[in-house]
Amino acid sequence: MAQRAASIDESNTFVGENYALLKESGLVRAGVPIELGGLGAEVPELSEMLKSISRACGSTAATF
């Protein structure tokens, strides 16, 4: 993500490739309850996850 961040910002393009990475890693399921097939992360955990993502690519974190 970090390698594409500047290019994404400069070209004002959507972070589709980064979303693919998030899906591939399972993070799109992070905030979904376990009983619904997700990972069951709570708000503090999700917040830390977004902070980490934002350090690599702010645009990805903002849209995610």
Side-chain angles (χ1 to χ4, degrees):
M1 286 185 203
Q3 294 171 341
R4 287 190 288 276
S7 174
I8 288 168
D9 289 344
E10 290 169 8
S11 63
N12 197 31
T13 56
F14 184 67
V15 293
E17 289 180 56
N18 291 348
Y19 262 55
L21 291 173
L22 293 171
K23 184 176 181 182
E24 195 176 293
S25 71
L27 289 179
V28 294
R29 297 175 32 229
V32 178
I34 293 171
E35 57 271 13
L36 297 176
L39 301 176
E42 299 291 331
V43 172
E45 297 164 311
L46 294 171
S47 176
E48 287 302 316
M49 180 183 72
L50 286 173
K51 285 182 198 177
S52 295
I53 293 169
S54 72
R55 285 191 281 278
C57 179
S59 295
T60 299
T63 58
F64 188 56

